[in-house]
Each structure stands twice: as C-alpha cells, then as structure tokens.
Amino acid sequence: MPAILLHLLPATLYALLGMHFWHSRWRAPTRAPRQGLLPWERALMLAALVAHGVSLHGVFFSPEGIRFGFSLALSLMLWLAMLFYWIESLYARLEGLQTLAMPAAAVCALLPAFFPDPHLLENAGSALFRAHFVVAMLAYSLFTLAALHAVLMAVAERSLHGARLTRAISALPPLLTMETLLFRLIGIAFVLLTLTVGSGILFSEALFGKAFRLDHKTVFAIISWLLFGSLLIGRHAWGWRGKKAQYWTLAGFIALMLAYVGSRFVAEVLLGRAA
C-alpha cells in the first residue's frame, strides 16, 4: 500500500466521523433523544484508531532505527488521546468531545505524509530512554485530551448562559462532573510530566548522552509543569474552578506544546534541520 494511503485512511475515517457527529450531535436540537456512542460509531472509531496505529508504526520504525519528528509527535499524541477518549467513553458520556477531537485527529494523522523526514532517535536502544519517551508521550496525550475537555467545558458553559442548547451540550454531564474529570486527567498527566521532567534533568547523561543544559525546550517544559502544578494546588487550596481552571489548563498546554513540538516544527520545517 502506498505510504500516503496509510495516512489518508485514518484521516478520512476521522473526518467522516467528525462530520457525522457534527450533524447528528452538535447541531441536533435538544428535543432529539439523547444517546451515547452507537455500536457502529464505536466500531468505526476503533477502525480509525487501528488504521492510525498501523500508519504510525510504519513510519516510526525503520531499518535504520526509530524515527521521530514534530509531525510524528503530534500524530502520536492525538492517537493516544483518541485512544484514551475511546476507553473513557465506555464509562462517561461526553457527546461533544468527539466533535472537537475528530478534526484535530484527522489533520494530525495526515501530517507524517506531508512532513515525512523525521530524524533518528538517539539512544533508542536504551531501556531508560524508551521508558522516558513512553511516559512523556502519555503525559502529552493526556494533556491534549484535558485541553480539548477544557474547550468543551468553555463551550458548554457559554451555551448554558446563552440558553443556546444543542443535543450534544444538553447530553453532557453536569459541569461539576466534567470539572472532576478534567482534574482527574490533569492529575494523572501531571504525575507523568513530573517523571518526564525529573528524569530528563537528573539522568540527562544516561538518557540523551549529554550533560543537562537549560535550553528552550527545558524552560517551556518547566513552565508547563509549574502552571499545572499551580493549578492543582489552587484547586485543592482555594477551590479554583470554572474559567480560571480552563485558562490555566490551556496556558499549561500551550507551554507544553512549545517545549517540544514547537521547537521541532521550527527546526524541521522552517529551518530544514533536526532540532
């Protein structure tokens, strides 16, 4: 199968699902009956995830070693985020989130086809490095899901205040329940991010083959860690919630994206070299 088709298939499935959810959930009137994911919708989402995983595997692993770049980072993050969402949807009904997540997943599934020259990962054979890499990607994907969840909460809150309800909004759990889920995602992701930042600082020589230095990626990662840590402290100490929690979540997510993906994008696309 041509390489472009490996990426086009999951992107098409995500896009079709996104359009379906937009018309059947987001724009449906509130009088329409509420429902969770139908069996065929869940099956098609799983098919998209499998196709996306196969396309990532084909680019990620090569005879020369393990390849990675900004396009693969984004694609892998969205794949993991969609996988977490698919699993979470078995236990919680979040009607509007799939409408926001599907377009992002469709775009990111295509990125490796348009930016196909990721660099080889150094020290990929090290068990410590592989553990560091997996934990980092899990943290990134959970924060991606948390950011999408925060956007959904903001849209739901605005719709409720403006009395402009669609079936997707009216079918959502109460805002307090959604807020609890948001902080659960952030709490788990923060632990993973702490492990990522801590191991990167303490074991830089073993992980990357060079002494620790305070570069822009490390600075943005620490800023993101501080933002999310402050948000969790504010939640427990002063009851931060609502818009304040949403703004802090999005600010921390942006800093996290600048820590790795932003630097890779500038280096590989704008400057045409490996970061």
Side-chain angles (χ1 to χ4, degrees):
M1 180 183 293
I4 184 64
L5 293 182
L6 285 175
H7 304 289
L8 188 59
L9 177 59
T12 301
L13 292 175
Y14 286 137
L16 290 174
L17 281 166
M19 289 187 290
H20 165 70
F21 288 129
W22 171 261
H23 289 288
S24 66
R25 304 294 206 282
W26 200 268
R27 297 187 63 186
T30 55
R31 63 179 178 273
R34 300 181 183 185
Q35 60 184 16
L37 288 176
L38 299 174
W40 73 266
E41 294 170 340
R42 191 177 298 281
L44 194 57
M45 284 181 62
L46 183 59
L49 284 167
V50 171
H52 193 177
V54 170
S55 69
L56 282 173
H57 183 275
V59 179
F60 192 63
F61 297 100
S62 69
E64 296 83 13
I66 298 178
R67 295 184 174 275
F68 202 63
F70 94 94
S71 60
L72 271 174
L74 284 172
S75 191
L76 179 58
M77 283 161 45
L78 262 296
W79 180 73
L80 286 170
M82 293 301 298
L83 179 61
F84 282 128
Y85 168 75
W86 190 87
I87 295 172
E88 186 68 31
S89 68
L90 295 171
Y91 308 99
R93 183 178 295 178
L94 297 176
E95 287 294 309
L97 190 57
Q98 68 267 57
T99 308
L100 299 177
M102 292 298 167
V107 171
C108 290
L110 273 178
L111 282 179
F114 292 99
F115 303 98
D117 192 26
H119 73 287
L120 289 172
L121 283 177
E122 299 176 2
N123 300 326
S126 165
L128 184 61
F129 177 84
R130 289 198 298 269
H132 173 85
F133 178 81
V134 169
V135 170
M137 287 298 102
L138 289 174
Y140 274 48
S141 61
L142 283 174
F143 278 128
T144 300
L145 197 56
L148 290 171
H149 192 75
V151 171
L152 178 62
M153 287 178 59
V155 172
E157 195 170 351
R158 182 174 299 180
S159 299
L160 288 171
H161 289 162
R164 297 186 302 272
L165 297 180
T166 62
R167 189 174 71 174
I169 298 300
S170 62
L172 288 173
L175 284 175
L176 286 177
T177 303
M178 294 181 66
E179 197 168 76
T180 300
L181 176 58
L182 174 67
F183 278 97
R184 187 171 72 189
L185 287 170
I186 293 174
I188 297 171
F190 181 75
V191 172
L192 296 174
L193 181 61
T194 301
L195 293 174
T196 301
V197 174
S199 62
I201 293 175
L202 296 175
F203 307 109
S204 179
E205 192 85 37
L207 286 170
F208 311 115
K210 54 187 177 183
F212 169 75
R213 61 188 179 92
L214 197 65
D215 55 14
H216 61 283
K217 290 184 286 187
T218 306
V219 168
F220 278 117
I222 293 174
I223 289 173
S224 176
W225 183 82
L226 289 173
L227 287 170
F228 284 117
S230 299
L231 173 58
L232 291 173
I233 292 173
R235 167 74 169 181
H236 289 288
W238 303 291
W240 287 3
R241 56 183 302 272
K243 290 184 178 180
K244 180 175 289 188
Q246 296 160 20
Y247 292 152
W248 278 75
T249 300
L250 294 176
F253 177 71
I254 291 171
L256 192 62
M257 291 301 98
L258 290 174
Y260 182 85
V261 177
S263 63
R264 287 291 178 194
F265 177 80
V266 171
E268 294 174 21
V269 178
L270 301 184
L271 301 180
R273 60 179 177 81

